[in-house]
């Protein structure tokens, strides 16, 4: 996507062919900074500390992490160790495991001296595929927005949660891809952006993406969605997912479930956009998905731009207050109107998913 007229992706191989560039998402929206990953440890830390985040991008970063690890040591033992380390960086998004296992399947049978070059090609292929797949999700999701526009003949209001835009992928995004496509198609639309406490990915990242693209949007407190739905001010919800079970349960950023409940109560269509790499075919029940527990500081403090232009972190609760910080929740398939994938839109059910991915 473009930033001030220049096309960017979220991750790339640098010209030296030995380091990987990323946009440091912990610095957005106030600063745009590039970080260079040199080792597999750098990649694992970038995933753990959320310099890169979003399920598809975590997978791409892990693939490049395997490549960086093999540049240093391409033995069998090193391949095993680097894959194990990267898979542990974050527990919920299944794309991480998917990408690392794909790398391992390609690399393990090769003689060790051939592995670094093969790893470079495979990581690049994962990134190129991610871009194509997300653009296809955008095309399929566009049909839903077009349909709403045909029926209503006025700007379409879409509510989204967290950031499932291009920053969460290599490019295009999942939930925001249909929105970018709708803008290109000239459909008037407006986006309600959940701020997404505790880390505020909506306020920091989704709002930044939409502002950069010139798409009309309002930031809303996480508690506002239900009220807006009752008032008829939301035509469609589209969110992303970090792991979708074979039966269509969806695990996404904490707070997604509450939006799905409100949407069901108000007859608002609730769609989830995902690439096939986010489907965990080994699980049927979403409650079996491991939910990441993050540091309580993320809840107890907020960061923002102070009037003097510096970014500051302030405590919002008493010193003695402890916080709990589950990072994801599970929305059962029965609350999901449909899944938007690169192969089309299906019901959130085993039958629906198998129809698209036999
Ligand atoms: O903790 P994050 O920021 O990595 O969580 C990201 C999300 O929950 C996204 O909605 C999800 O990864 C889908 S992104 C295409």
């Amino acid at each position: 996507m473009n930033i001030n007229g220049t096309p960017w992706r979220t991750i790339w191989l640098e010209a030296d062919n030995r380091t990987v560039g990323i946009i440091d998402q912990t610095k957005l929206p106030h600063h745009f900074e590039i970080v260079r990953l040199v080792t597999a440890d750098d990649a694992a830390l970038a995933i753990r500390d959320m310099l890169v985040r979003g399920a598809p991008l975590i997978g791409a970063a892990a693939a490049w992490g395997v490549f960086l690890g093999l540049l240093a040591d391409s033995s069998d033992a090193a391949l095993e160790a680097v894959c194990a380390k990267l898979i542990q960086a974050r527990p919920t998004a299944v794309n991480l495991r998917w990408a690392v296992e794909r790398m391992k399947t390609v690399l393990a049978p090769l003689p060790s001296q051939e592995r670094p070059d093969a790893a470079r090609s495979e990581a690049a292929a994962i990134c190129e595929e991610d871009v194509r797949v997300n653009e296809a999700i955008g095309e399929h999701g566009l049909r839903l927005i077009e349909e709403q526009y045909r029926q209503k003949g006025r700007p379409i209001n879409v509510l989204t949660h967290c950031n499932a835009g291009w920053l969460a992928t290599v490019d295009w995004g999942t939930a925001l891809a249909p929105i970018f496509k709708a803008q290109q198609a000239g459909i008037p639309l407006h986006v309600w952006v959940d701020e997404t406490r505790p880390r505020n990915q909506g306020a920091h990242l989704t709002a930044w993406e939409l502002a950069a693209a010139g798409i009309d949007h309002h930031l809303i407190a996480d508690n506002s969605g239900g009220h807006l739905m009752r008032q008829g001010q939301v035509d469609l919800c589209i969110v992303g997912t970090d792991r979708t079970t074979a039966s269509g349960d969806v695990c996404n950023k904490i707070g997604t479930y509450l939006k799905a409940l409100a949407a069901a109560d108000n007859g608002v269509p609730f769609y989830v956009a995902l690439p096939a790499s986010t489907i965990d075919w080994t699980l049927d029940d979403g409650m079996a998905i491991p939910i990441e527990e993050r540091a309580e500081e993320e809840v107890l403090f907020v960061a923002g731009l102070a009037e003097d232009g510096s970014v500051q972190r302030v405590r919002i609760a008493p010193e003695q207050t402890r916080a709990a910080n589950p990072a994801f929740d599970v929305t059962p398939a029965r609350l999901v109107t449909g899944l938007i994938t690169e192969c089309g839109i299906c019901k959130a059910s085993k039958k629906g998913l198998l129809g698209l991915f036999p």
Side-chain angles (χ1 to χ4, degrees):
M1 288 283 153
N2 285 342
I3 306 172
N4 297 330
T6 306
W8 282 89
R9 286 185 176 181
T10 52
I11 193 162
W12 58 90
L13 181 64
E14 292 285 357
D16 64 6
N17 267 333
R18 304 185 63 81
T19 55
V20 173
I22 56 167
I23 299 170
D24 180 352
Q25 300 193 21
T26 63
K27 298 291 189 326
L28 290 172
H30 308 301
H31 298 290
F32 184 84
E33 287 180 17
I34 301 304
V35 168
R36 290 199 162 79
L37 310 176
V38 181
T39 64
D41 279 347
D42 291 346
L45 283 178
I47 295 169
R48 194 198 66 189
D49 295 343
M50 295 178 64
L51 280 70
V52 286
R53 29 67 51 204
L57 179 55
I58 292 173
W64 284 117
V66 173
F67 161 68
L68 294 173
L70 294 181
L71 282 181
D73 181 350
S74 59
S75 64
D76 287 358
L79 176 62
E80 278 300 326
V82 78
C83 289
K85 175 180 292 175
L86 286 159
I87 282 182
Q88 281 160 18
R90 288 189 76 189
T92 301
V94 79
N95 306 60
L96 182 55
R97 185 181 81 197
W98 169 87
V100 170
E101 282 176 358
R102 173 166 159 176
M103 295 294 284
K104 212 163 144 181
T105 305
V106 170
L107 301 170
L110 299 178
S112 65
Q113 68 278 12
E114 290 179 18
R115 285 177 182 157
D117 279 348
R120 185 187 295 115
S121 305
E122 197 60 21
I126 286 175
C127 289
E128 291 307 319
E129 275 172 38
D130 186 68
V131 177
R132 280 199 301 277
V133 157
N134 295 326
E135 184 167 9
I137 290 171
E139 298 285 355
H140 292 298
L142 167 64
R143 294 203 326 259
L144 300 171
I145 299 175
E146 278 172 342
E147 195 181 301
Q148 290 273 339
Y149 184 53
R150 256 196 312 275
Q151 282 169 19
K152 295 175 180 160
R154 54 150 176 82
I156 298 307
N157 292 301
V158 183
L159 182 143
T160 191
H161 190 69
C162 193
N163 171 262
W166 68 273
L167 289 168
T169 63
V170 178
D171 205 352
W172 280 103
T174 57
L176 290 201
I179 289 167
F180 294 129
K181 285 283 176 187
Q183 183 199 33
Q184 287 181 359
I187 297 175
L189 79 168
H190 164 263
V191 184
W192 296 113
V193 180
D194 280 353
E195 61 180 349
T196 318
R197 278 282 287 149
R199 287 186 66 101
N200 287 321
Q201 287 95 326
H204 293 171
L205 306 176
T206 302
W208 183 79
E209 284 188 27
L210 294 173
I215 295 174
D216 188 21
H217 64 283
H218 280 86
L219 182 66
I220 50 174
D222 286 326
N223 304 327
S224 307
H227 165 74
L228 292 170
M229 289 185 214
R230 290 210 77 188
Q231 287 199 325
Q233 294 197 61
V234 180
D235 298 302
L236 196 63
C237 298
I238 313 181
V239 301
T241 165
D242 289 80
R243 195 183 298 218
T244 300
T245 67
S247 54
D249 290 348
V250 167
C251 182
N252 191 48
K253 181 54 55 193
I254 193 80
T256 302
Y257 171 55
L258 288 175
K259 296 301 142 68
L261 282 173
D265 195 44
N266 289 282
V268 174
F270 188 91
Y271 283 92
V272 180
L274 66 141
S277 52
T278 304
I279 304 168
D280 186 344
W281 294 102
T282 70
L283 291 183
D284 269 329
D285 181 1
M287 295 313 282
I289 296 172
I291 301 293
E292 179 178 14
E293 268 296 329
R294 292 190 62 87
E296 59 184 323
E297 280 68 28
E298 291 184 350
V299 179
L300 294 171
F301 291 82
V302 290
L305 197 64
E307 280 180 2
D308 66 2
S310 63
V311 174
Q312 290 184 13
R313 195 168 162 264
V314 293
R315 190 179 179 99
I316 58 165
E319 280 285 348
Q320 60 276 29
T321 295
R322 305 287 314 272
N325 188 8
F328 298 93
D329 61 25
V330 175
T331 300
R334 67 186 155 77
L335 296 177
V336 177
T337 310
L339 302 174
I340 310 169
T341 77
E342 65 269 38
C343 293
I345 300 174
C346 68
K347 281 221 168 328
S349 66
K350 186 166 268 183
K351 195 170 166 216
L353 280 169
L354 285 175
L356 292 184
F357 304 101

